[in-house]
């Protein structure tokens, strides 16, 4: 990673998946190129902000032409690491874990779900999206014999720290935590703490503002 990329603001990084999704839709429509102005209308981001965002990674556009949609889509995919073939496990096969495992996002975005774990004897041995749920007792053994890049945690709050430490100690470098508590590790472990109620509260705020 270059020194320039290290300084990319978090808000810019969070916009990259939106660019990626929209460019993917353009590809499906067989659209070959798009200007920053046209992209700004669709993304609700100013054209100057789009150009500034992309300049953190080298620009990608040509003056008078705009952006080659396929090239930009592939470049953003590379920046996001979507072409690296990251492997993923889900720990916690309750309602949320089952929903995540059943979603087609993993394969569509280049992630491979390789394992699902739980401690409920009524769930262990069942299959979700073709993957058999294993006992949590086998987690470390599995991690030590398989390459796993990302751990998705949908376990109760009381169990999240212990589970996260097992994943990290076995070499997992990225954690997505849905357990309503904040996880934080050193700089070598990437963590995304996801609080599902936050978008609802934001939506409630917007509704209230619209009513004023």
């Amino acid at each position: 990673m270059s020194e320039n990329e290290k300084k990319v603001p978090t808000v810019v990084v969070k916009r990259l998946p939106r660019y990626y999704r929209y460019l993917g839709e353009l590809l499906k429509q067989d659209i070959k190129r798009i200007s920053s102005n046209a992209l700004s209308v669709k993304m609700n981001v100013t054209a100057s902000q789009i150009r500034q965002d992309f300049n953190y990674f080298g620009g990608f556009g040509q003056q008078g032409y705009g952006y080659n949609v396929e090239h930009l889509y592939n470049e953003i995919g590379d920046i996001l690491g979507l072409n690296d073939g990251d492997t993923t496990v889900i720990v916690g096969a309750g309602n949320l874990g089952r929903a995540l495992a059943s979603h087609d996002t993993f394969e569509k975005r280049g992630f491979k779900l390789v394992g699902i774990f739980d401690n409920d004897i009524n769930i262990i041995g069942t299959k979700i999206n073709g993957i058999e749920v294993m006992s949590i007792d086998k987690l470390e053994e599995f991690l030590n014999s398989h390459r796993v890049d990302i751990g998705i945690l949908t376990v109760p709050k009381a169990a999240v720290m212990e589970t996260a430490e097992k994943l990290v100690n076995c070499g997992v470098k990225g954690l997505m935590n849905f357990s309503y508590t904040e996880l934080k590790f050193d700089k070598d472990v990437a963590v995304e703490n996801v609080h599902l109620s936050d978008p609802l509260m934001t939506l409630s705020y917007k509704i209230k503002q619209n009513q004023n």
Side-chain angles (χ1 to χ4, degrees):
M1 179 178 291
S2 70
E3 188 65 27
N4 187 47
E5 288 177 315
K6 290 180 182 179
K7 296 179 181 178
V8 178
T10 299
V11 66
V12 174
V13 176
K14 287 185 179 294
R15 278 196 287 268
L16 292 179
R18 290 187 60 221
Y19 291 131
Y20 187 80
R21 288 194 301 271
Y22 181 66
L23 290 165
E25 291 302 315
L26 293 179
L27 283 177
K28 291 178 183 178
Q29 299 169 35
D30 200 32
I31 295 175
K32 305 296 185 183
R33 66 173 179 169
I34 190 169
S35 68
S36 57
N37 286 328
L39 190 57
S40 72
V41 173
K42 298 293 185 180
M43 299 293 299
N44 197 28
V45 178
T46 66
S48 61
Q49 183 65 70
I50 289 172
R51 291 191 292 269
Q52 183 177 335
D53 287 352
F54 293 162
N55 281 338
Y56 281 106
F57 307 99
F60 311 126
Q62 300 176 26
Q63 189 172 2
Y65 177 88
Y67 299 102
N68 180 294
V69 172
E70 184 176 7
H71 175 71
L72 184 56
Y73 178 81
N74 291 330
E75 287 289 338
I76 293 177
D78 282 337
I79 292 167
L80 290 171
L82 302 182
N83 302 321
D84 296 344
D86 285 339
T87 52
T88 306
V89 296
I90 293 175
V91 185
N95 291 335
L96 178 56
R98 295 180 72 87
L100 292 171
S102 300
H103 205 279
D104 62 1
T105 297
F106 290 98
E107 290 189 6
K108 280 188 174 181
R109 295 295 183 243
F111 301 97
K112 184 178 181 181
L113 181 61
V114 295
I116 306 170
F117 299 84
D118 203 274
N119 62 358
D120 187 338
I121 59 174
N122 295 310
I123 296 177
I124 295 168
T126 62
K127 288 188 176 182
I128 306 173
N129 203 13
I131 299 175
E132 184 174 332
V133 179
M134 291 174 277
S135 169
I136 191 72
D137 295 334
K138 296 183 178 181
L139 176 61
E140 289 172 289
E141 178 184 347
F142 183 90
L143 293 172
N144 287 326
S145 60
H146 294 76
R147 172 194 155 195
V148 176
D149 303 297
I150 297 171
I152 299 176
L153 299 168
T154 61
V155 298
K157 182 178 180 179
V160 67
M161 194 65 220
E162 179 183 358
T163 306
E165 287 178 345
K166 286 181 180 179
L167 290 162
V168 171
N169 289 338
C170 291
V172 175
K173 295 299 184 183
L175 300 174
M176 178 167 281
N177 170 37
F178 288 89
S179 300
Y180 295 100
T181 187
E182 294 289 317
L183 283 179
K184 186 176 181 181
F185 284 86
D186 61 37
K187 62 182 180 179
D188 293 326
V189 180
V191 178
E192 281 291 322
N193 294 297
V194 182
H195 300 283
L196 295 177
S197 61
D198 285 6
L200 282 173
M201 289 188 283
T202 302
L203 181 60
S204 177
Y205 170 81
K206 290 179 178 179
I207 291 172
K208 184 176 180 179
Q209 294 303 305
N210 288 341
Q211 291 172 342
N212 290 338

